[in-house]
Amino acid sequence: MTIPQEYTPDNIMTGLYSIYARRLFIEKIVKAEDYIYINGLPIMDKNKNPLIIDIDTFSCISYGFFKDKNAVYGLTYISRKNSEKCYLTVLKDADPDSFEPISMLYAKDKNRYYYAEDARVIAEKDLMLLLSYTTKYQDEEFPDLKATYTWSSYIAIGQNFVYNRGLKLKGADSGTFVQMSQYYYKDKDNFYVKDGRTVKPLKNIDIKSFIILADDNYVMATDKNKPMMCYANDSKPEEWYDYYRPYFEKLRDEISDDYWWYKLEKTLKNR
């Protein structure tokens, strides 16, 4: 099945396998007899029940949404190792006439916003998508790549809530929530880290001294007590002294010598 050209930007394909895999998957969807088929099997709903779809008017409108004359459908697509799984869910009360995808998986109509997977309804008047990746993917062959930074976003800010994959991010304050880097966010109370499909508040860190050392790896951050690598795997700071050396040497005299790395440096010199 063909995805509309405006939702297949060539300049976003480089380096983003998940988007490429979804595109290839959708292109395998075909109409046959009374069902919509993928890999020879009818597409069902989440409970593996056949959907009543108007075959003649059924079409793809983006990477995450389909519609016929009766309804709009959200596509949930899951790719794990060597297997693919999908199902369609009717978007409750979606208005087909004003329905418009605004990114790969977010859309809006005249009343509200939606997220494709599990047809999640987002009761917000405005929704701002955050960056899904950063300039590390900048490619001279694709000078317009920056314009597509939010196209594959999973995280969005509404007037009332922050959303990750269309679900409310519990405890996050939408009024102060901002993106700090490719993996980190903060609001008035917490720092948050994006880890796979989840976004979660950082616990037990010293918020006042927390800094991001590099944008392209979520462990490249630290507070004055220990690096994120230690928070992630319960290791000791001295195990990562050499690993973090280039970043702290670069920041020498720009940040306090009260950070764990500078203390270790003094201890090692005095041995």
Side-chain angles (χ1 to χ4, degrees):
M1 183 162 285
T2 303
I3 305 173
Q5 184 61 39
E6 62 265 36
Y7 298 113
T8 58
D10 291 334
N11 62 1
I12 202 169
M13 303 307 294
T14 180
L16 296 172
Y17 174 76
S18 62
I19 296 175
Y20 184 64
R22 179 178 279 265
R23 178 176 181 172
L24 291 181
F25 179 80
I26 291 174
E27 289 174 351
K28 297 177 186 177
I29 296 175
V30 297
K31 303 176 184 180
E33 300 173 352
D34 296 328
Y35 291 100
I36 304 298
Y37 287 85
I38 175 70
N39 292 333
L41 298 173
I43 292 183
M44 305 290 188
D45 65 13
K46 189 174 185 178
N47 298 316
K48 298 184 178 180
N49 298 315
L51 283 165
I52 300 175
I53 296 173
D54 184 77
I55 303 298
D56 293 334
T57 59
F58 185 79
S59 63
C60 175
I61 54 175
S62 79
Y63 278 70
F65 300 98
F66 297 77
K67 72 176 181 178
D68 61 17
K69 68 179 183 180
N70 300 313
V72 180
Y73 307 86
L75 170 67
T76 299
Y77 167 69
I78 302 168
S79 176
R80 290 175 180 164
K81 294 184 178 179
N82 296 321
S83 65
E84 291 178 317
K85 173 185 175 183
C86 77
Y87 54 86
L88 292 179
T89 309
V90 175
L91 272 70
K92 186 178 180 181
D93 297 328
D95 177 59
D97 292 334
S98 63
F99 192 87
E100 177 189 6
I102 60 172
S103 70
M104 184 172 72
L105 296 175
Y106 283 98
K108 67 177 181 179
D109 64 13
K110 63 182 181 180
N111 299 314
R112 60 187 68 83
Y113 288 83
Y114 304 88
Y115 187 77
E117 295 179 347
D118 290 321
R120 293 162 186 161
V121 177
I122 302 173
E124 298 274 4
K125 292 183 178 180
D126 293 295
L127 201 65
M128 180 180 72
L129 302 181
L130 298 188
L131 302 180
S132 58
Y133 53 93
T134 62
T135 53
K136 78 168 190 169
Y137 286 110
Q138 185 65 57
D139 190 325
E140 291 182 0
E141 295 182 15
F142 303 106
D144 297 325
L145 187 60
K146 289 184 179 180
T148 66
Y149 276 0
T150 60
W151 187 83
S152 57
S153 178
Y154 296 112
I155 302 172
I157 302 177
Q159 292 179 309
N160 302 309
F161 298 98
V162 178
Y163 300 86
N164 177 41
R165 296 179 181 270
L167 295 173
K168 294 174 184 176
L169 184 56
K170 187 177 180 180
D173 178 67
S174 64
T176 58
F177 193 89
V178 295
Q179 185 166 15
M180 303 299 294
S181 70
Q182 181 167 327
Y183 293 96
Y184 288 99
Y185 311 83
K186 74 173 183 178
D187 63 14
K188 61 183 180 65
D189 298 315
N190 293 297
F191 275 88
Y192 300 81
V193 62
K194 180 171 61 176
D195 184 8
R197 293 176 65 90
T198 65
V199 177
K200 54 189 177 182
L202 294 175
K203 296 182 179 180
N204 303 317
I205 68 164
D206 181 71
I207 292 179
K208 291 183 178 180
S209 65
F210 184 80
I211 57 173
I212 298 164
L213 300 172
D215 194 54
D216 59 354
N217 190 328
Y218 85 95
V219 298
M220 298 314 302
T222 186
D223 64 11
K224 67 179 183 180
N225 300 315
K226 55 185 179 181
M228 279 303 300
M229 189 70 83
C230 293
Y231 287 105
N233 62 16
D234 252 353
S235 54
K236 296 181 179 180
E238 48 265 37
E239 297 177 48
W240 302 103
Y241 177 76
D242 288 331
Y243 185 76
Y244 286 89
R245 175 194 295 273
Y247 303 95
F248 280 97
E249 288 186 338
K250 183 178 181 179
L251 291 171
R252 194 183 301 277
D253 299 327
E254 294 183 25
I255 61 174
S256 169
D257 59 5
D258 197 34
Y259 279 83
W260 64 274
W261 193 89
Y262 299 120
K263 289 183 176 180
L264 272 176
E265 182 183 43
K266 291 178 181 177
T267 300
L268 293 173
K269 283 181 178 180
N270 292 330
R271 285 182 179 177

